[in-house]
Amino acid sequence: MNIRTLTLGDYQTNCYLVSDENGNTAVIDPGDRPEEILNVARAQHLTIRAVLLTHGHFDHVGAVRGIAEATHCPVYVGEKDLSLPAPLRGGLVATDTYGDRLCVGSLTFDVLPTPGHTAGSVCLRCGDALFSGDTLFAGSCGRTDLGGDAAQLAASLSRLAALKEPLVVYPGHGPKTTLEREKACNPYLRVLP
């Protein structure tokens, strides 16, 4: 698995191009600049097979339409985010909603429902990578005042804290981290002995 990170737009949203050994690629959270994402894919000889959204907020979906039109790939989102108010979802377009798991080339993504930041938020686990969207950040967690629910977010963070695998966390904003580090240091995820 190869992971390329592009930080895009006014909100500095992390977009991830996750590809297998044959260049089959999932684009996670393309928040802005579709041409830049498409150009990187072309330059690296990647074939975009799917767009995967961790949630439907406008700063994570701004390039979806351009990528979908250029590649004719499916776009996945948590079903409950299809009903986000229009100002929050911006130009969200989706062709599919998530089940428990999906494959892109030889990559398998486990879909972990993590409502709280939005009702349809998910984290995506692929190998030793966890794409956490705006549920979990390095040292922090997502906000809940834009269509979210604080109690749901706390429950979702508890579920992430219960994961035993050594995972590298790729958040929607900010630097990558590890789940182990967040369990030890993040006040929203700290696991007490």
Side-chain angles (χ1 to χ4, degrees), residues 41-165:
R42 280 190 286 268
Q44 299 293 319
H45 307 289
L46 305 176
T47 303
I48 296 173
R49 301 288 187 196
V51 172
L52 311 180
L53 301 173
T54 60
H55 64 289
H57 278 163
F58 61 91
D59 60 322
H60 288 251
V61 306
V64 169
R65 185 179 304 277
I67 292 171
E69 288 175 355
T71 65
H72 307 288
C73 70
V75 178
Y76 291 84
V77 69
E79 183 174 3
K80 290 183 178 178
D81 276 8
L82 292 173
S83 59
L84 279 168
L88 293 181
R89 70 176 188 265
L92 172 63
V93 292
T95 62
D96 294 271
T97 56
Y98 289 113
D100 294 332
R101 176 176 289 174
L102 65 95
C103 294
V104 178
S106 64
L107 302 171
T108 299
F109 291 87
D110 291 314
V111 180
L112 310 176
T114 52
H117 180 65
T118 66
S121 287
V122 301
C123 290
L124 301 165
R125 182 174 52 202
C126 184
D128 67 352
L130 180 71
F131 300 93
S132 63
D134 287 3
T135 297
L136 177 64
F137 301 128
S140 190
C141 67
R143 57 196 285 184
T144 59
D145 60 333
L146 296 174
D149 181 281
Q152 285 185 339
L153 182 60
S156 292
L157 291 169
S158 291
R159 283 194 299 276
L160 293 180
L163 296 174
K164 303 299 184 196
E165 304 95 314

Side-chain angles (χ1 to χ4, degrees), residues 17-38:
L17 282 71
V18 186
S19 54
D20 70 10
E21 65 281 358
N22 296 313
N24 297 300
T25 301
V27 178
I28 299 176
D29 288 352
D32 201 2
R33 301 185 194 147
E35 280 306 316
E36 182 175 339
I37 296 167
L38 293 166

